Amino acid sequence: MLPRIAPRVRGPYTPLPRITSSLNSVHSSGSISVVSHKATSGWNHQPSQQTRRFSESAVYAPQIRVISVPTMGDSISEGTLASFHKQIGDYVEQDEEVASIETAKVDIAINASDSGKITKFLVSDGDTVTVGQGVMEISLENHDASSAVEHKPVSVCTEVKQGTSEPQPESKAQTVAEPECTSAPAVPQIEEPTAERWEDPEPVTMGIRTERREKMSRLRLSIAEHLLDSQNTTAFVTTFNEVDMTKVIEFRNNNKDHVLEKCGVKLGFMGPVARASALALKEIPIINASIEKNDTIMFREYIDLSVAISTTKGLVTPVLRNMQDMGVVDIEKGIAELGKKARENRLSLRDLLGGSFTISNSGIWGSLFGTPIINAPQTAVLGIYGIQQRPVAIDGQVDIRPMMYTALTYDHRLVDGHEAIIFLTLVKKYLEDPASMLIE
């Protein structure tokens, strides 16, 4: 079979227009590119949705890694994302802290599992997150690649030319199209009412009255629930006494410089008070006990002292363990270390668990006396307060002595009144005669 051959057209003819670019339809006439506006009328160019930069192509596709919430302890399964320490686009090193989680007990740090650049946040500040949940994505690229020069996008308003690069003279029949870049229409500005328009000509109040509301932190919510539960479940009673602190102050003044030089710790009043409490608890062990399952008493042969410490985020009670075996200086060192960790937000979950007896020192804030709340499931809490010069009767004579009030709040379901009073009396005896603590 012979191939079909197109018939040959004789005579002059005008070539049909053909599209030579994504912006214009062009007639070929000699070596000059002439735009045919008629050919382009009614044809709207739609940019390709498949266009992407070279840096985003398959040639360069770094691996993505998800950073998740770490294990936060046996009793903690969720927390609140307090804040991100980095922003999208920042480069982080492996094990660098990138975010923090606020729980009911301690703050948990989220560290980067690998080095790379942060590309996406999967949660927001204030969201509740659980163990194993992803919080951000990072691109596993080295630091040099992440800081490389970015490609500048090519403007679509670039003039497209074909044929010779030399400028051609204009004529009536030859017109070079120059696409125009038109800006988006201006959004009409809506005039908002000013303060003067709504201002009362005769204001009735002077000054500025402002209010603000913020969501309670998870730690503050936990404290509120814990203390309210303690108040609702214990039959608490508070008894008071006062202590002449003359000899304790003399003991402190005579030894504080030596203790600071030798042990590197400041000698305060918590050491003697805690030591006196430990000796009193040995004689009245029911105050160091607790109720289990509403029908069982658990007695302890050890004393784990919970120390109430106020921080910027709320009240915490880290535990000084086995206090019964410590002297005054060792107790001061242990309490100072716990206080430093609390202020620097470095308390671990183990530091806060347990505790059999609590001492709350409100005197450092200037409080004269108060009624502390039991730190459940403990049975009692000892409150000590400010030392104040007061007139007291000594052997029938009025004398000015440094006096300090003490208060013991106890659970009356387990502790009888006479036991609580004897305990406070023993604490008073040891503090008014510190030398007696050395022979116990």
Side-chain angles (χ1 to χ4, degrees):
M1 178 182 294
L2 295 177
R4 176 177 292 181
I5 301 176
R8 188 172 184 180
V9 181
R10 297 181 181 273
Y13 68 97
T14 303
L16 295 175
R18 57 192 179 94
I19 299 173
T20 58
S21 72
S22 63
L23 296 176
N24 303 293
S25 178
V26 181
H27 292 292
S28 296
S29 176
S31 62
I32 300 178
S33 299
V34 181
V35 175
S36 174
H37 295 283
K38 183 180 298 184
T40 59
S41 60
W43 174 64
N44 294 325
H45 170 67
Q46 297 296 332
S48 174
Q49 299 298 327
Q50 302 299 325
T51 304
R52 57 181 177 180
R53 296 187 186 178
F54 175 78
S55 60
E56 298 175 352
S57 64
V59 178
Y60 180 71
Q63 185 180 359
I64 300 298
R65 183 66 52 84
V66 176
I67 299 178
S68 304
V69 177
T71 301
M72 297 183 287
D74 295 337
S75 61
I76 303 177
S77 59
E78 65 176 20
T80 301
L81 187 74
S83 63
F84 287 106
H85 304 328
K86 299 291 183 178
Q87 302 297 325
I88 294 178
D90 290 349
Y91 186 86
V92 295
E93 298 289 348
Q94 187 177 11
D95 294 330
E96 184 177 356
E97 184 173 337
V98 294
S100 59
I101 300 175
E102 186 181 75
T103 70
K105 297 181 181 293
V106 294
D107 287 354
I108 305 296
I110 301 179
N111 298 326
S113 56
D114 298 276
S115 299
K117 185 173 69 173
I118 299 175
T119 58
K120 185 179 181 181
F121 289 152
L122 304 178
V123 293
S124 303
D125 292 350
D127 287 354
T128 298
V129 294
T130 58
V131 174
Q133 180 180 348
V135 296
M136 69 171 60
E137 293 180 353
I138 63 172
S139 173
L140 302 186
E141 57 186 31
N142 56 42
H143 192 266
D144 295 335
S146 64
S147 60
V149 179
E150 297 183 356
H151 298 282
K152 295 183 178 179
V154 179
S155 173
V156 298
C157 297
T158 304
E159 181 180 354
V160 179
K161 295 184 179 181
Q162 292 184 351
T164 62
S165 60
E166 298 180 358
Q168 301 296 331
E170 289 189 3
S171 65
K172 294 183 179 180
Q174 300 172 351
T175 306
V176 179
E178 296 182 358
E180 298 179 356
C181 294
T182 59
S183 60
V187 179
Q189 300 293 330
I190 300 176
E191 182 180 359
E192 297 183 357
T194 61
E196 292 80 2
R197 180 175 301 179
W198 299 101
E199 183 179 1
D200 193 341
E202 294 182 1
V204 295
T205 58
M206 299 298 292
I208 299 175
R209 292 162 53 87
T210 60
E211 295 178 350
R212 68 184 182 92
R213 292 174 175 81
E214 60 182 31
K215 190 176 181 62
M216 293 176 67
S217 66
R218 187 174 289 268
L219 177 61
R220 174 53 59 187
L221 284 171
S222 175
I223 293 172
E225 294 173 0
H226 182 71
L227 295 181
L228 185 60
D229 180 69
S230 174
Q231 189 175 21
N232 292 334
T233 57
T234 59
F236 60 90
V237 182
T238 303
T239 185
F240 301 91
N241 210 325
E242 62 178 353
V243 180
D244 183 354
M245 298 291 287
T246 301
K247 292 187 177 181
V248 173
I249 293 175
E250 290 177 358
F251 168 78
R252 177 178 179 271
N253 292 337
N254 293 335
N255 295 278
K256 62 180 182 180
D257 294 336
H258 175 71
V259 171
L260 180 61
E261 180 181 355
K262 184 178 179 180
C263 304
V265 63
K266 293 182 179 179
L267 187 60
F269 296 108
M270 278 294 292
V273 172
R275 180 57 183 166
S277 299
L279 296 175
L281 288 172
K282 289 182 179 180
E283 298 189 41
I284 314 293
I286 193 66
I287 296 180
N288 194 48
S290 61
I291 298 177
E292 285 189 348
K293 299 180 181 179
N294 294 324
D295 60 0
T296 305
I297 302 175
M298 184 179 71
F299 291 91
R300 300 180 177 90
E301 300 297 329
Y302 57 88
I303 301 174
D304 285 350
L305 176 66
S306 297
V307 183
I309 299 176
S310 178
T311 67
T312 55
K313 294 187 176 182
L315 183 70
V316 293
T317 53
V319 179
L320 182 64
R321 305 188 187 279
N322 298 318
M323 186 192 67
Q324 75 280 357
D325 299 328
M326 297 182 180
V328 172
V329 176
D330 291 333
I331 293 174
E332 290 283 2
K333 290 175 65 176
I335 293 176
E337 183 179 353
L338 291 174
K340 183 179 179 181
K341 292 175 68 175
R343 288 188 296 271
E344 295 177 355
N345 198 25
R346 295 189 295 108
L347 289 174
S348 65
L349 189 59
R350 184 182 183 279
D351 292 329
L352 298 172
L353 293 178
S356 60
F357 181 73
T358 298
I359 296 179
S360 175
N361 182 9
S362 299
I364 59 177
W365 309 112
S367 176
L368 189 59
F369 57 86
T371 55
I373 298 179
I374 297 173
N375 182 18
Q378 298 175 16
T379 298
V381 52
L382 174 66
I384 60 175
Y385 301 92
I387 300 174
Q388 190 179 48
Q389 296 285 338
R390 293 199 301 270
V392 293
I394 306 295
D395 296 331
Q397 301 293 325
V398 177
D399 196 4
I400 305 299
R401 295 293 181 92
M403 306 299 293
M404 179 184 75
Y405 288 113
T406 59
L408 181 72
T409 300
Y410 58 96
D411 189 349
H412 215 332
R413 296 179 302 166
L414 189 60
V415 181
D416 293 332
H418 76 279
E419 294 171 321
I421 294 172
I422 292 175
F423 174 84
L424 270 188
T425 303
L426 288 171
V427 172
K428 174 183 173 69
K429 183 193 78 168
Y430 289 126
L431 291 177
E432 291 184 344
D433 185 14
S436 63
M437 292 189 286
L438 300 177
I439 60 177
E440 294 292 340

